[in-house]
Each structure stands twice: as C-alpha cells, then as structure tokens.
C-alpha cells in the first residue's frame, strides 16, 4: 500500500483515508480528488498501485484497510458495471466493517445503477461537475463531509492527553496481522484500555522515520517487541535500528512471542533480550504490562463521560491505538447516555454515515436532537456552536421531509441571529437560505420566493449568492407552471452572472438554465430563443470543457429536442445523432446517458414520421435499458409505452389495422404493469392511459370508444390534480377528452 500526503509530509498521526476506483478512472480522478481533499484537510491518503492489485496478500491488505477512517471511492459507469477491486473488494469490506464511505460520482446519469443495494444504496454522494448552481458547492460539501467524518488536530490532542500511558510496539511489516492481534490482546482487559500504542503504520523507513521513532521512544514507558521467526530470518529494521535504540534509552523491554521462534538465534541477534511471554498467556501478559507501566490504572477519570468519549474516539479512528469500532461505539454511547452533548453529536454523525455502526438515519436524527437539547441547557441561546448545531438539525429535518420542524427551528435561529449579529451577517443570511429551502420543499413557493428576495435585497442581485437566489426563484415559479415569471428571473440570473464573471463556466450554466426556461414556454418565438441560447451554451461548453464533456453533450442533445419542437427534422436528428455518438465514445453504448439520447432520437424519428427508424431505435433503447435495470424499471416501461405509441402513429399513417392491434397489445401490457408497480397518478401510468384512449378511439367501435372516453376523462382529472388547470399537459388532456366526447356523439 502506498501513501500520499500534503507537501509530502510524514503520514504519522494523520487521519487515514483510503482511495480506490476502477483502473480506467485512475488518471482522471486520483490526483484531482487528492488535491480537493488537501485544500481543507491534512490527511494521509493511502492507495494501491493498480499494477499490483492482483498480487496482493488479501489477509494483510484487509488488516491495513480495517485501520482506515474513511474510504473515498470514485464512481463511474465502468465501476458500476465491470469487475474491479474497488467494487468487488473494497466497497463490501467498508460496509461490513462499518467504515464510512464517500462516493464521488464522476458522471451524470448513474443514480439508478448507483442506488442498487449491492452497490451504494442510499449513501449520499458528491458530484464535482454538477451544473446545478442553486445547491451548495462541491467544495463546501466535501469540506463539511470530511469535517464530520475525520477528527481534527485539536480534538486529537485532547485524545492523546486522555491516555494513561504510551507503549512502543516494534514489529516486522510482514507481521502486521499479529501486531493487530497483540494490540487487541493488550486492550482486552479494562485496566489496559487506556494504554496508547505507538506503531509505525507499515511505512517505509527513512530519515524522518528514524527521528519519529526516537521521539516515540522518549515518551513511551515500555518497548514491546512482537516476536515471530520474521525477526531472525533476515536482517531487518527492528534488529538494526529499533531494538538498539530501545536498549540505549534504557526503557523496559517486553518481548511477546506470537509464533514459535528459535530462542538461541533470538538471543544472538537481540543481545540482552528478556524472556518472552507467549501471546496466548493473557493473564501473564496483562500482569507484565501493569508492572512495567507504573502509573497505569491509577488515574481516577475512567468513569468520566469526557474521558470515555475521548478514548472512544481513539479506538474509532485509530489514534495511537488499533481501530476497534465496537469498543469505540460502546465508549461513546456510554458518554452520550451520561449526558455529554459532544458524544451525542458524534453518535449522530456515526449513525448517519455508518461509522462503526449500521447506518440508521432516524437514530442519527434522535441523537442530534438530544445533543442540541443538551447544549441548549448549558450554552446561551446566541452561542455560535449551539446555533451551528441547530442549523444542522434544521437541514436534517429538511432531508427527512419534516419541513414544519425545520421551519419552526430555523425561524428561531434566524430571529436570534438577526437580533445579535444583524440581518446582513452571513450567518443570518444562511438561516434565511435554509428557511427558503424548507418552504420550497414544503411547496410554499410564495414564502420561499419572498425569503430569496430578502437575501437579494441584502446582498444584491449581482452577487454570487444573489444570482443563486434568482435561479431559486425561477425554479419556484417553474414548479407552479408560471413560465413567464420563471423566464424573467432566469434571464436576470444569466445577465447578472455575465456582468459578474464574464463568460465563466457558472455563466454558461445560467445560460443553459435560461435556454430550458425559454423551451418551457413552448411557443415558436420562445422555442427559437431557446434554440439560440442552447446553441450558445453548447458552443461555450465545447470551448471551455471540450467535445466529450457531459455538459457539452447534454446541451447538444437538448438542442436536438428543441429543433424537433420547431419542426426541423434535419437539424434535430443530426444533433441527436452527434450527441449519441459522443456518449458512445466517451462512455459506452449501454451508458444511461447514451440510452436516454437513443430514446430522444427515437422520439424525433417518430415525430417526423420516420417510423421504421423510430421503431428500431426505441427497441434498441428498450433492450439496452432492460439489460441494465430489468423490464420492470420505470424507464424500460416508458420506452415500451413509446414503442406502442409509435406503432399507433404508424398504423394511423398507413391505415393498418394489424399494426394498431400490435400497438394495443403492447399498451395493455405496459398499462397493467404500471398499475401493478406504480400509482394511478404516476406520470407513466397516465401516459399509458392516454395512449390506450387514443388506440381505442382509432379503432372506432362503440364499446372501445366508451372505454376511450372513460380513460380520457380520468387522464384529464389526474393531470389537473398533478399540474393545475393551466399546465399544457392538463390543457392537452382536456382537448383529448372533448374530442373523444364529440367522436362518441358522431358514432351514436
């Protein structure tokens, strides 16, 4: 295993992070992610040379990986669909040993594959290249995640002061598994629980390494030598450096024989070595430790909550001891149950991220609530630490859909901050932003808009936060189908972004959002505006990010669908084919984004009455999607539904009853499957109802037209319930319903 640190510093004492990925993703992810981490955290990032993966000793590797505080896994389509060490070994080990995992997703469109239980399930992930300008930045999310999962230097110093004594453990790197076993033997007895053990963490010896050993020996009260035949079968660092230094320092030496070793050779190579204690002689081992460590077990703080909490943190992250998650959880839980709010907050983080325990979001929330309530009894209401934790609790309420709880709590925080630090302080503004988010998710859009406008009044619409608020307002209006208002704010966001940053990447993201807002208007003039803006966004993405960037390809695909709406078959199909070819080259034909693009191409072929191409293309999209997700997947059923509607269009165009029968057969299958898997109000179920109504109407017999009338009426009512009276889908459903009503009268 290799290690990289910030500025090539010694990894000793730093939090241990393990990085892994699919081999083909190494060049584009390792250096970038390391740099991102080092911007805010001084950690040691361990990794395995991709060329040596197959020749690793699995037992030793597992021993090493169990000492990690965090796994960072770079996620791509290849990782989720091809065998690799990262997916097949590292991920299951982290889950099994309850080591926190940070997935960093490299590509869009992977969510459904990502959330499979055998992959990452409900684990939250980060996206470095997200184009959503309204969310917290990737950099901020990464910092916050690392702050929660890793223990900072100040807290580590508190942990080290809580130990009763230090022991130096000397061993050959080949014996790492035995070293872990010995540390567990030492710490098994409660009297030895608070002994810190200095060990060299399987690093390559060097000049700084020698200096570190000298310092460690100076503060240690006992030199423990792990004895196996590996100590005597070849010249080694323990023999030439560590043991002689221990003899020079006049420190007590305790050899522990973990594997039978030739005593005569041991005495020859380690002059003056005392008699060995056998590893299995636990009582004798404990007695020797207690005799050699004069002040061990004499401290009176073993039952204090803070002491238990700090020693628990030591075992949680392996701070001068082995990692022992079970012991850590017991100690921290004990401290939390005796009323230490710091321990309660840490338990909340542990249950949220699966650190030493099974992930349990409700229990995480419970401990966070208890921690905040405990801090409320000992800290003044305007204490910044307390307010930060109350912010965190409000955000947790939002994540769990408890919007009224979030609104009540954050309103209190906002009022306190407004009175104590002023309404224009950044922390007060953060409270406003949390409130606006809670109201937005609670579908109280008018209040969310009002709060975002308050932020704009304070910071100005030209600031970065102000521009983000403009996009939030545009989205809120869009949710209400107020497309003109949505467009107005998207226009202002783009204009202000250009004025602030020029044609920066964030401005291009705003331009992309503006193009989508124009497209939502759906009339020809605004579609032409959408086309111009999307073309510009595509050209700028291409210039800044290259032809093969997902954002570039997404804007090209959207351009193709806009040309479809404008009735331009040549440019629509050309752009969609170009985007499809790009997705295939960058990712693969079976990548979710390539399948989505294939589907959009099929829709365009259908729109322009190129039915044979449409049918062949939609069948291919359906087959590829089924291979990835199965035939019951929402998108698979959506593609099958579109195949039915394409057959219907072809049947009507050619006046072919057999093709219409095939359309009906597929439609009935998909409609029944949707009713089985989803609700009647699901958009896909409604689409199938509408398609069936049109098929029944086209068959022009009285009984089927009556069924068409029944389905069309239900479609209209469901659309109105889901989207409101003025939404284009509701208006379209109403028109269909009225047309069928007229058709029925003519048949009667």
């Amino acid at each position: 295993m290799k290690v990289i640190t910030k500025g090539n510093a010694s990894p000793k004492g730093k939090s241990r992070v393990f990085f892994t990925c699919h081999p083909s993703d190494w060049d584009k992810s390792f250096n970038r992610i390391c740099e991102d981490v080092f911007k805010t955290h001084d950690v040691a990032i361990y990794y395995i040379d991709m060329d040596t993966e197959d020749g690793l000793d699995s037992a030793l590797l597992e021993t090493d990986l169990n000492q990690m505080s965090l796994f960072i896994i770079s996620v791509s389509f290849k990782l989720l669909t091809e065998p690799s060490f990262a997916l097949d070994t590292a991920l299951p080990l982290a889950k099994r040993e309850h080591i926190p995992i940070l997935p960093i997703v490299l590509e869009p469109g992977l969510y459904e594959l990502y959330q499979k239980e055998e992959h990452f399930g409900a684990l939250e992930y980060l996206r470095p290249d997200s184009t959503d300008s309204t969310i917290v930045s990737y950099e901020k999310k990464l910092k916050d995640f690392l702050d929660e999962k890793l223990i900072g230097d100040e807290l580590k110093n508190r942990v080290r002061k809580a130990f009763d004594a230090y022991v130096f453990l000397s061993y050959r790197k080949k014996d790492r598994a035995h070293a872990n076993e010995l540390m567990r033997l030492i710490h098994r007895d409660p009297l030895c629980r608070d002994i810190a053990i200095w060990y060299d963490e399987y690093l390559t010896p060097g000049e700084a390494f020698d200096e570190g050993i000298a310092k460690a020996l100076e503060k240690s009260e006992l030199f423990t030598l792990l004895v196996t035949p590996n100590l005597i079968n070849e010249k080694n660092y323990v023999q030439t450096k560590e043991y002689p230094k221990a003899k020079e320092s006049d420190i007590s030496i305790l050899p522990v024989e973990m594997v039978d070793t030739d005593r005569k050779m041991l005495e020859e190579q380690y002059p003056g070595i005392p008699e060995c204690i056998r590893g299995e002689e636990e009582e004798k081992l404990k007695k020797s430790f207690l005799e050699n460590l004069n002040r061990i077990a004499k401290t009176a703080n073993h039952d204090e909550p803070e002491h238990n909490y700090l020693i628990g943190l030591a075992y949680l992250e392996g701070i001068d001891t082995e990692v022992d998650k079970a012991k850590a959880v017991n100690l921290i839980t004990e401290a939390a149950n005796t009323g230490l709010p710091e321990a309660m907050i840490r338990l909340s983080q542990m249950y949220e991220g699966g650190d030493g325990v099974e992930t349990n979001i409700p229990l995480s929330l419970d401990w966070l609530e208890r921690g905040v309530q405990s801090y409320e009894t000992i800290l003044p209401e305007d204490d910044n630490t307390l307010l930060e934790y109350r912010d965190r609790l409000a955000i947790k309420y939002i994540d769990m859909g408890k919007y009224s709880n979030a609104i009540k709590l954050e309103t209190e925080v906002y009022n306190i901050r407004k009175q104590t630090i002023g309404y224009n302080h950044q922390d007060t503004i953060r409270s406003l932003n949390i409130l606006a988010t809670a109201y937005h998710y609670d579908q109280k859009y008018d209040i969310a808009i009002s709060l975002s406008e308050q932020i704009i009044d304070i910071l100005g619409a030209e600031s970065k936060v102000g521009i983000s608020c403009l996009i939030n307002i545009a989205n809120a209006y869009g949710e209400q189908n107020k497309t003109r208002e949505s467009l107005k704010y998207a226009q202002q966001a783009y204009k202000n972004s250009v004025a602030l940053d020029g044609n920066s990447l964030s401005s291009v993201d705003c331009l992309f959002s503006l193009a989508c807002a124009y497209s939502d208007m759906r009339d020809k003039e605004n579609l032409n505006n959408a086309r111009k803006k999307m073309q510009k966004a595509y050209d700028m993405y291409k210039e800044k990010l290259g032809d093969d960037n997902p954002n570039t390809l997404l804007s090209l695909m959207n351009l193709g669908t806009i040309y479809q709406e404008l009735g331009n078959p040549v440019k629509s199909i050309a752009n969609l084919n170009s985007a499809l070819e790009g997705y295939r080259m960058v990712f693969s034909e079976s990548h979710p984004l390539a399948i989505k693009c294939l589907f959009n191409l099929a829709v365009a072929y259908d729109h322009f009455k190129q039915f044979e191409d449409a049918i062949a293309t939609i069948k291919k999209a359906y087959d590829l999607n089924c291979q990835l997700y199965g035939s019951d997947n929402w998108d698979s059923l959506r593609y099958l539904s579109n195949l039915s509607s394409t057959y219907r269009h072809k049947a009507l165009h050619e006046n072919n009853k057999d093709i219409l029968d095939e359309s009906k057969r597929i439609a009935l299958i998909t409609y029944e499957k949707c009713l089985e898997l989803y609700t009647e109000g699901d958009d896909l179920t409604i689409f199938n109802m509408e398609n069936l109504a049109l098929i029944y109407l086209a068959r022009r017999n009285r009984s089927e037209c009556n069924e068409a009338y029944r389905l069309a009426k239900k479609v209209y009512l469901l659309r109105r319930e889901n989207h409101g009276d003025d939404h284009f889908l509701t208006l379209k459903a109403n028109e269909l319903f009225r047309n069928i009503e007229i058709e029925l009268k003519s048949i009667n």
Side-chain angles (χ1 to χ4, degrees), residues 328-339:
V329 172
N330 288 337
L331 287 166
I332 295 171
T333 302
E334 185 180 334
N337 283 328
T338 51

Side-chain angles (χ1 to χ4, degrees), residues 25-152:
D25 298 324
W26 181 266
D27 290 341
K28 64 183 176 183
S29 62
F30 177 69
N31 286 331
R32 175 184 177 175
I33 289 172
C34 288
E35 288 171 8
D36 290 342
V37 170
F38 290 149
K39 283 176 186 175
T40 58
H41 287 75
D42 188 13
V43 300
I45 301 179
Y46 293 85
Y47 62 96
I48 297 168
D49 191 324
M50 293 290 173
D51 295 331
T52 64
E53 271 186 6
D54 294 336
L56 293 170
D57 183 318
S58 58
L60 286 179
L61 179 61
E62 184 164 344
T63 299
D64 295 347
L65 292 178
N66 278 331
Q67 301 304 304
M68 298 296 150
S69 300
L70 172 68
F71 278 33
I72 295 180
I73 302 180
S74 182
V75 182
S76 67
F77 179 70
K78 286 191 173 181
L79 179 90
L80 296 173
T81 56
E82 296 180 2
S84 69
F85 170 84
L87 192 71
D88 302 333
T89 302
L91 178 61
L93 184 147
K95 287 181 178 179
R96 184 174 67 248
E97 301 299 329
H98 303 304
I99 301 170
I101 302 166
L102 172 58
I104 297 185
V105 177
L106 302 178
E107 304 158 12
L110 301 180
Y111 181 68
E112 207 157 352
L113 278 176
Y114 171 94
Q115 68 172 351
K116 286 186 173 184
E117 196 55 42
E118 66 269 27
H119 294 161
F120 294 89
L123 276 177
E124 290 191 35
Y125 61 87
L126 299 186
R127 272 277 316 279
D129 298 316
S130 173
T131 59
D132 188 345
S133 60
T134 68
I135 60 173
V136 177
S137 70
Y138 159 72
E139 290 78 9
K140 178 69 165 61
K141 281 191 170 183
L142 178 61
K143 179 184 181 302
D144 290 347
F145 183 95
L146 296 174
D147 282 345
E148 286 196 1
K149 297 296 180 288
L150 304 176
I151 298 171

Side-chain angles (χ1 to χ4, degrees), residues 155 441 517 603 615 658 663 736:
L155 187 51
Y441 282 117
V603 172
I615 290 167
D658 291 339
S663 174
L736 171 64

Side-chain angles (χ1 to χ4, degrees), residues 195 202 241 247 524:
I195 297 173
Y202 44 84
K241 293 282 186 179
K247 293 289 287 182
K524 189 169 183 180

